Amino acid sequence: MKADRTTDVHDVEDLLRLHAPQVLGALVRRYGHFDPAEDAVQEALIVAAGQWPEDGVPENPRGWLIRVASRRLIDRLRSDEARRRREETVAALTPADAFVAPPPGEGPAGLGRAPSEDDTLTLLFLCCHPALSPAAQIALTLRAVGGLTTAEIARAHLVEEATMAQRISRAKRAVRGTEFRPPEPQDRDRRLAAVLQVLYLIFNEGYTATAGPALHRPDLAREAIRLTRAVRRLLPHEGRVTGLLALMVLTEARAPARTGCDGELIPLDAQDRAVWDRTAIAEGTALAEEALAQGPAGDYQLQAAIAALHDEAARAEDTDWPQILALYELLVHRTPDPAAALGRAVAVAMVHGPRAGLAAVDALAEPSAGRYRLDAVRAHLLERAGDHEAARAAYRAAADGTLSDPEARYLRARADRLSP
């Protein structure tokens, strides 16, 4: 049975993104060939993207994709098998009957149990395998679970497509042969922490790009939120997951007010809060409260609570800085993250004055990366303390240290404003 023949292209794209990781997970679980399985899924997605907008979406879109992808994979495995027979004159490695594609009426490609979103989570665990570097984990997650093309991932990271293709290929080789199953209970927490960290890094890169002409990359931010929602559907009572989703939703709610008409950066205290997404703020606040009720307050829950306090303030001067400082104290006690320590220094300045904040900044260890953020905070506090000459120098040092064009323009403008 078909849906309306004129299906919206964007609806089809959303549907394909939803089902792609489940289809890939089902094929990898059944056949154990990650790389060719991913190629087969991509081919099935291309076919669907061409057919569904005109012919309508099948009644069981996931089953349709699995059937098409599995047949493409079977054809490839058969071809590889034949080549090996010719070249090596050895027996086939896989029984022939394993490559028989079922007819359309026999369920989703005869892959044993029906695929589910559990496969999405297992695929995330695989993409965030501890053998991979964080950069490789992010690239493989966006490719295999997010469904982004190699070109899209390369553009998001401002590298050549060939470079990103090599990174993804190396990541696939590193996890080749890994059994497709959830981690053991004793390893689950550590692996889940890696998954959430990757999603957090993807969101941060989308919300504040580390380099390039744009401050905000909404495609990456939206993708991180979408994937985190998928994880939460599977783990609805996991406080870390709920907290991370709350943090993302509350932070992204401020995105419409972060840049001006020419793309210039607008700091938090100068943003037009009427432009903030109030629906998202209501959802994020509810999620933050739920996350805190789901167990001991972890890093994501505390950061979400801080974001909620910022979002709930009708004006910058209404922000509950003493409460934010108390939350940062808990956060810094839990994590060595330099960003948390820097956030605490800003909160100290807002509660106890800029000189106290400067003392807190000076007490921080010099970061190995992201030094410009420390310089930017120091410049802001020096300006508030009235030391304009030192603030100007710190603003310029921060501008020289960032690779983000909008951040550099903003910091240089602040420095120029303080020129005699």
Side-chain angles (χ1 to χ4, degrees):
M1 188 173 92
K2 301 283 187 179
D4 184 358
R5 292 181 62 85
T6 57
T7 306
D8 186 83
V9 172
H10 296 294
D11 292 340
V12 169
E13 290 176 353
D14 291 342
L15 198 59
L16 294 177
R17 283 185 182 272
L18 172 66
H19 290 303
Q22 299 169 32
V23 174
L24 177 57
L27 264 66
V28 174
R29 171 165 48 79
R30 173 63 179 86
Y31 297 106
H33 299 275
F34 185 93
D35 209 5
E38 198 221 358
D39 290 340
V41 171
Q42 290 300 316
E43 291 176 14
L45 294 176
I46 291 171
V47 173
Q51 289 185 7
W52 291 3
E54 294 296 327
D55 298 344
V57 177
E59 185 176 5
N60 180 4
R62 185 166 58 193
W64 188 98
L65 289 168
I66 290 176
R67 274 197 301 276
V68 174
S70 63
R71 286 169 178 164
R72 297 295 176 101
L73 178 58
I74 287 165
D75 289 342
R76 178 169 178 173
L77 293 177
R78 276 176 166 168
S79 176
D80 291 346
E81 190 69 20
R83 187 183 66 249
R84 281 196 296 271
R85 287 191 178 197
R86 289 193 304 268
E87 293 176 351
E88 303 173 9
T89 63
V90 295
L93 298 178
T94 306
D97 60 1
F99 293 133
V100 177
E106 291 187 6
L111 296 176
R113 68 169 174 80
S116 69
E117 286 197 320
D118 290 338
D119 286 330
T120 302
L121 186 58
T122 303
L123 191 59
L124 271 169
F125 281 127
L126 178 64
C127 293
C128 299
H129 194 280
L132 301 176
S133 68
Q137 291 174 338
I138 290 172
L140 192 56
T141 297
L142 289 173
R143 183 76 173 92
V145 187
L148 274 66
T149 66
T150 303
E152 288 172 330
I153 302 170
R155 283 197 300 271
H157 289 83
L158 301 179
V159 299
E160 295 293 330
E161 184 176 350
T163 302
M164 184 55 66
Q166 291 175 352
R167 183 181 301 176
I168 294 172
S169 295
R170 286 194 297 268
K172 290 177 182 178
R173 286 196 299 270
V175 299
R176 184 178 297 162
T178 302
E179 187 177 352
F180 189 79
R181 58 175 176 78
E184 297 295 334
Q186 64 271 19
D187 193 36
R188 178 184 174 281
D189 280 351
R190 182 173 65 89
R191 295 288 296 278
L192 179 60
V195 168
L196 298 181
Q197 177 68 8
V198 165
L199 297 177
Y200 181 57
L201 291 173
I202 293 172
F203 176 79
N204 280 345
E205 181 61 28
Y207 189 72
T208 303
T210 54
L215 181 71
H216 186 222
R217 292 176 184 159
D219 54 340
L220 279 181
R222 285 195 299 266
E223 186 60 27
I225 292 174
R226 186 184 72 82
L227 293 174
T228 307
R229 288 191 191 279
V231 175
R232 184 172 180 267
R233 282 195 296 271
L234 295 165
L235 303 172
H237 306 298
E238 176 63 61
R240 290 177 293 175
V241 179
T242 306
L244 178 58
L245 179 58
L247 174 61
M248 290 179 178
V249 171
L250 287 165
T251 305
E252 184 67 6
R254 301 194 293 263
R258 291 181 69 230
T259 54
C261 56
D262 295 324
E264 70 275 14
L265 185 153
I266 302 176
L268 180 63
D269 60 356
Q271 290 176 13
D272 179 2
R273 300 184 177 218
V275 182
W276 288 0
D277 186 340
R278 290 295 159 186
T279 301
I281 289 173
E283 180 196 3
T285 302
L287 286 169
E289 293 172 353
E290 183 179 343
L292 290 172
Q294 287 178 329
D299 298 357
Y300 298 124
Q301 294 97 311
L302 291 171
Q303 290 183 68
I306 291 169
L309 287 171
H310 280 298
D311 287 13
E312 289 173 337
R315 302 175 302 164
E317 53 267 34
D318 297 332
T319 305
D320 189 349
W321 282 107
Q323 181 65 18
I324 289 175
L325 177 58
L327 290 169
Y328 267 122
E329 296 287 5
L330 292 173
L331 184 59
V332 169
H333 181 72
R334 282 186 49 86
T335 177
D337 182 9
L342 202 54
R344 175 190 171 275
V346 173
V348 167
M350 299 305 294
V351 174
H352 301 296
R355 291 296 176 186
L358 283 167
V361 170
D362 292 339
L364 299 179
E366 290 293 330
S368 57
R371 163 63 190 261
Y372 81 94
R373 296 192 185 280
L374 189 146
D375 285 334
V377 170
R378 181 181 282 120
H380 174 68
L381 297 181
L382 285 167
E383 181 182 357
R384 289 192 60 215
D387 191 345
H388 289 181
E389 183 177 355
R392 187 167 61 250
Y395 275 129
R396 287 175 176 162
D400 291 339
T402 182
L403 298 176
S404 167
D405 296 344
E407 286 186 331
R409 287 196 299 270
Y410 167 77
L411 293 165
R412 290 193 179 98
R414 300 285 293 194
D416 293 343
R417 192 169 57 84
L418 297 177
S419 298

